[in-house]
Every structure is written in C-alpha cells, then in structure tokens.
Amino acid sequence: MNKKKWIILAAVVVVLGGGGYYGYTSWKAKDVAAEEQPPEQPSFPTATVDVGEVKKTIFSSGSVEAKAREEVKPEISGKVERLLVKEGQSVKKGDVLFTVDSTDAQLEMQKQELSILRAKKELDELKNKKDWILSDKIGKIKEVMVKEGDTVTPDSVVAKLTNTDYLKITGKFSAYEAEQFRVGQKVKIFITASLYYVDGTITKIDLIGQKEKGVGGVHNVEVLVKKPGALYVGDMGVVQFTDAKGVLYASQMATPFELPDEMEILAGTHGKIGKVEIEKDDEIKTRQQLFKMDMTASDLELREKELALKESLLTMEQKKREISKKQVEAPINGVITKLNVKEGETPSSGEPAVVIMDATSVYFMAAVDEIDIPAIKMGQSVDVYVTAFGNRPFKGKVIEIPKEGTKEDKAVRFAVKVELSETSEMKHGMTGDCDIYVEQKDNVKRLPLNAVEVMEEGKGTVMIKAQGTGEPTPKEVEIGVEGTEFIEIKGGLEEGAEVLMTNA
C-alpha cells in the first residue's frame, strides 16, 4: 500500500473517532442535565377566602296538610233522622250536619232522674237520723213496741201510752154551734152530780157530724180535762162556752167522762234500736229519752250515699249533654270531603261520619329525624320544595315543634309544622322536602365546604402552598358554622387568602 493511502485511512479513523467522542459526550451531558432538573409539581384548583353568608340547614321530607281537618262523630248512638249536607259542600262552624234519634238517651235520662230522687231521699233519711228517740207526750207506758236490734222508720210506732192525769168528755152540739169552736179553745164543763165547774181544752171537733136517734144531727166536740181528785171515769158533765156577746153554748145532753185515747209515740228517725230505756207502766214525760239508736254504720253509709248521689248527678249531666248533641254540628269552617252517613242508618263506630277540611291555608309538615330535632327552634327560616312545583322554593318558618315523635321503620321522626307565606297553589296531601335553616351568619369569612377538612368542633385544616418550594402544606384554621355550601373561617386565614382544593 502506498504512503498516500495510509495517510487518507489515518485521517478517516481520526475523523470517525472524534465524531463518536463528540456524540457520546453530547448525549452524556444531556442525561446529566435531565437528572439534575427538579420534578414538576402537581397542579390543584384553588379557592379564595371571601366574605358572605353561611347557612347550616337540616334536610327533611314531608307533606302538605290543610290548616284544619276534623273527623266528626256523633256523641250519641242512634239512627240518622235527617241528613242536611252532601260531599263537596262548604259549611261554617256551628252548621247542623245531621240529626240523631235520641229516644234511647231520653229514656236513660228518665231512669237517671228516678235514681237521683231515690238517692236524695235515702240521703235525707240518713242525715235526719237521731241518736235518741225522745217522748213528745206525757203518760204511762202501756206497751213497748220494739226491742234492741229492730230497724225503724220515722213512722214506726215504738211505744203506746195513756195519760192518767187527764179525762176526756165529748159534748154533743149542732152544726152551727160546732162551727163556733176551735181546737185549743178553753171551755167549762158543768159536773151535774156535784154542781160545779171544771176547766177543759178542746182537742177535736167533728164538723161532718152524724145522725143520732132522738137528737137528730150532732157534732162531737172532744174536751180534755186535767183530772182533779174528785172526778172519775163515768161522772157526767155538760160542755159549756159563753162567747164575747154573752151567748151561752151548751152540749145537748150530759155525757160521761172517759180515759183519754191511747197515744202512740213514733220513732221519727231511721236506723236500728241500740238500747231500750223504758218498760211497761213507766211514767214518762216530754223530751224523755226512750230508745238509744245504734249509730255504728251511719257515717260510712252517709258517705257512700253521698258518693252515689254525686255519681248519679254526673251521669245525669252527661245524659243531658248527649241529648243536646242530637244535632251534630260542624266544628270548623271548611268543605265536606267525606260523608259516611245516610238517613235511617246508624253511623259506623269504626269511621268518622263526616270529614271536614279547611283548605283556605295549608302547612308543610316536615318529618325531622330524632338526631336533628334538638337543633330545630321556633321561628327558623325554611325553604320548602313541593314535588308538584319542581325546584321552586316556597318560603316558610317553623311554628310548632312536637313533644313526641312517631316511630317509622326503626327510626323516630318528629312532625315539625312549617307555616308557608304562599299556599294558594298547594293542595292537601302534596309531598315534598325542605331545608330548615338552623344557623345562619352574614358578612363572615368563608371557604367552600370541600376546601376545609374538619378535625373537631371549632378546628379544621386547609392546604396552602409552602413558601419557596410551593409544595401543598396543611395549615390549621379556626372554624365556625358548617353550612351546606360554605364553612365559616374564624381565624388562621385573612380575606383573599388562597387555599388548595386537594379533595376537589
């Protein structure tokens, strides 16, 4: 090979070697440069702290209910006499809906009236019971008519007696003469055998009279005379009286003196004889104690009778009220939406006879869960969404919170009443849901709810960019109201601060 070729070959090798070295060094430099560059940081959306309102709500489903709905049932049983309304008819409070046959109730009331009269009589008898039976007469006991343990009434004869200190004489007078006398009047009796006068008192006058043989019509006038020592049964006398004008009235004939009529002592009370204090032939005086009464059961019996009378009076009042309810009236203004009665038929006890509904205004009844009910307060604002009207909100406020809940499918819910400001388009029974605003703050710092991680009550964390590196870094903030869309930032961030939405 000649020298020129070797020179050319050497030059080619040098060129190729240099180019390869340059290519290798260039690739190596790029690889090192790539390794020295920091990794590119991920990008997150951001949110800015602004000022506005924060609302915390409780969501609840519910339904529309009429302002008033009454189920009417008659208070007395019986057939419907007259039906005065029909379904769909508007009625006012107090309008008569129908009348009920009250014959049975009236009969019951009459029976109750008799029971009351009987109870009053028995009670009066008990109240008039006496501890003792006293004598109202003077005389000698002829016969004791009762013994210990006997039950007596006021008309029971407990003893018979005669008065041995007096005698009786009966004068015979004409009808005109008999009319001049009065019971209790003082008269004179002329003793025909001894030719002297004794004083007497008229005790009985027979104004009817009777015919007697040989004398014609006579009227007997009985006179009681206190017995003097020389006057005996069988002595004859003439009854005489001189009036104010000096006219003498004398019996038509002399008549004999007799023993006074046998006298009876009446019990004058109800009860049982406890002890007998007298015997036959005892001389007794007025107001003397003759029989002691057994009063053991009287107080208890009196209380029982008083209670029985009160019960009868209450029952009577109830019957009167039932009869007054013969006319069944509308309890509210409204429209009759259901009618379950017909003339001549007895209303069923299992269902209302009439249903009346006042649909002039309605409420929304929100079924609030028992977990949320402690947060519900009177007057809280509510947005109601009725299914029939889509997403259109109806404004309202809480006006009634129940004391008791209703168990539904292992959960307890409370029917919270919401008054609506606009109800003209709503109908009873429509369904929907609502947002009850349980807490609300205006003009406060806030962030979207998903920009803050709540750690505990009053504390949360947000993600911000670290200074220098720009890496996402957690920062603790003080939080307030947790709303549906926003959360209140009470401290840790200023208005305008940006946070990363790492959980967006």
Side-chain angles (χ1 to χ4, degrees):
M1 184 179 294
N2 58 32
K3 187 176 180 181
K4 185 176 180 180
K5 288 183 178 179
W6 278 108
I7 292 172
I8 293 171
L9 181 61
V12 170
V13 170
V14 169
V15 170
L16 291 173
Y21 176 76
Y22 175 77
Y24 172 77
T25 55
S26 297
W27 172 80
K28 188 68 176 177
K30 287 181 180 180
D31 188 51
V32 170
E35 289 180 357
E36 288 179 354
Q37 284 183 359
E40 190 175 318
Q41 298 298 327
S43 177
F44 296 102
T46 62
T48 303
V49 177
D50 66 354
V51 174
E53 67 175 12
V54 179
K55 292 181 177 180
K56 181 178 182 180
T57 64
I58 288 176
F59 174 82
S60 174
S61 61
S63 61
V64 176
E65 290 191 7
K67 180 180 180 180
R69 181 180 182 275
E70 291 286 343
E71 295 184 350
V72 182
K73 295 181 180 180
E75 295 186 28
I76 59 174
S77 60
K79 293 181 179 180
V80 175
E81 285 183 331
R82 295 175 60 209
L83 182 60
L84 305 173
V85 293
K86 58 185 178 181
E87 279 193 18
Q89 181 177 333
S90 296
V91 293
K92 294 182 180 179
K93 182 178 179 180
D95 285 352
V96 178
L97 306 175
F98 60 92
T99 61
V100 179
D101 182 4
S102 62
T103 304
D104 292 342
Q106 289 175 344
L107 289 175
E108 286 296 322
M109 189 176 75
Q110 290 174 0
K111 290 180 182 178
Q112 204 60 42
E113 285 176 343
L114 292 175
S115 297
I116 290 172
L117 289 175
R118 190 179 299 111
K120 285 183 176 180
K121 182 176 181 294
E122 292 174 352
L123 190 59
D124 288 340
E125 290 173 355
L126 284 171
K127 287 182 177 180
N128 290 330
K129 274 189 174 182
K130 300 175 183 177
D131 295 342
W132 288 87
I133 296 176
L134 306 179
S135 172
D136 58 348
K137 297 177 175 65
I138 297 174
K140 180 186 288 187
I141 297 296
K142 183 178 180 181
E143 186 179 0
V144 179
M145 307 298 293
V146 293
K147 60 183 182 300
E148 291 182 8
D150 286 352
T151 300
V152 297
T153 64
D155 294 329
S156 298
V157 178
V158 294
K160 293 182 179 181
L161 70 159
T162 57
N163 192 335
T164 56
D165 290 336
Y166 287 83
L167 293 175
K168 179 183 75 170
I169 187 171
T170 303
K172 308 285 186 177
F173 292 90
S174 66
Y176 172 77
E177 291 172 330
E179 291 177 354
Q180 310 308 310
F181 295 105
R182 298 290 181 270
V183 173
Q185 183 178 333
K186 301 297 182 182
V187 293
K188 296 285 188 180
I189 296 91
F190 177 68
I191 311 301
T192 56
S194 304
L195 303 177
Y196 72 96
Y197 290 90
V198 293
D199 294 324
T201 304
I202 296 175
T203 57
K204 188 186 295 184
I205 303 170
D206 176 17
L207 294 176
I208 297 176
Q210 60 184 355
K211 289 281 188 176
E212 290 190 8
K213 189 177 180 179
V215 235
V218 296
H219 295 258
N220 292 333
V221 177
E222 290 186 6
V223 179
L224 194 64
V225 177
K226 186 170 178 59
K227 181 181 176 183
L231 190 62
Y232 303 95
V233 173
D235 287 346
M236 305 296 286
V238 176
V239 179
Q240 297 180 357
F241 168 68
T242 303
D243 66 11
K245 297 179 180 180
V247 178
L248 175 64
Y249 299 92
S251 55
Q252 298 176 3
M253 63 186 73
T255 51
F257 281 94
E258 305 171 295
L259 287 174
D261 293 338
E262 187 178 79
M263 296 178 288
E264 295 179 341
I265 295 179
L266 304 181
T269 187
H270 291 83
K272 186 181 292 185
I273 301 295
K275 186 177 181 182
V276 179
E277 300 283 352
I278 55 173
E279 296 178 355
K280 184 180 178 181
D281 295 330
D282 282 355
E283 294 283 349
I284 62 170
K285 300 177 181 179
T286 55
R287 305 296 300 167
Q288 182 175 332
Q289 295 177 346
L290 306 181
F291 304 91
K292 182 177 177 60
M293 302 301 294
D294 182 359
M295 304 297 289
T296 307
S298 294
D299 291 341
L300 178 59
E301 190 178 1
L302 180 63
R303 287 196 293 270
E304 289 177 349
K305 294 294 183 184
E306 287 175 339
L307 286 174
L309 179 59
K310 286 181 180 178
E311 288 178 359
S312 295
L313 289 170
L314 287 173
T315 305
M316 181 68 173
E317 186 63 29
Q318 182 181 354
K319 293 298 179 186
K320 286 182 179 179
R321 290 183 179 180
E322 286 182 3
I323 292 175
S324 70
K325 297 299 181 181
K326 175 183 177 180
Q327 290 188 335
V328 180
E329 300 175 351
I332 60 171
N333 297 335
V335 176
I336 295 175
T337 59
K338 198 169 186 180
L339 193 61
N340 296 320
V341 292
K342 295 180 180 179
E343 288 187 0
E345 295 183 359
T346 301
S348 172
S349 59
E351 59 184 4
V354 181
V355 176
I356 303 175
M357 188 180 299
D358 180 1
T360 55
S361 62
V362 295
Y363 300 106
F364 186 80
M365 302 302 294
V368 177
D369 192 273
E370 61 182 317
I371 296 174
D372 297 323
I373 197 66
I376 305 299
K377 300 289 185 294
M378 296 290 287
Q380 288 173 337
S381 297
V382 184
D383 283 341
V384 175
Y385 300 88
V386 178
T387 305
F389 303 107
N391 293 327
R392 174 184 171 187
F394 292 86
K395 298 297 181 182
K397 65 178 179 179
V398 175
I399 62 168
E400 187 176 305
I401 304 170
K403 298 293 184 184
E404 296 183 5
T406 303
K407 193 170 183 180
E408 300 176 4
D409 300 329
K410 297 183 180 180
V412 178
R413 292 181 174 82
F414 292 78
V416 175
K417 183 181 283 189
V418 177
E419 184 179 52
L420 300 171
S421 57
E422 182 185 352
T423 62
S424 58
E425 298 177 78
M426 295 186 190
K427 305 296 182 184
H428 176 83
M430 286 182 171
T431 60
D433 49 53
C434 67
D435 290 323
I436 303 174
Y437 295 97
V438 297
E439 195 170 359
Q440 179 176 344
K441 284 191 176 181
D442 297 321
N443 298 318
V444 294
K445 291 184 294 182
R446 65 181 186 177
L447 278 172
L449 190 63
N450 57 356
V452 182
E453 183 176 356
V454 179
M455 307 302 293
E456 58 182 76
E457 187 175 355
K459 290 184 180 180
T461 58
V462 296
M463 300 299 290
I464 62 173
K465 289 181 180 180
Q467 290 184 352
T469 64
E471 294 182 354
T473 305
K475 177 178 177 61
E476 186 176 300
V477 292
E478 184 183 357
I479 60 176
V481 177
E482 299 174 43
T484 307
E485 300 177 10
F486 296 95
I487 186 167
E488 179 188 4
I489 304 298
K490 300 180 74 174
L493 292 173
E494 297 301 324
E495 183 183 356
E498 262 190 350
V499 299
L500 302 175
M501 306 274 285
T502 58
N503 61 343

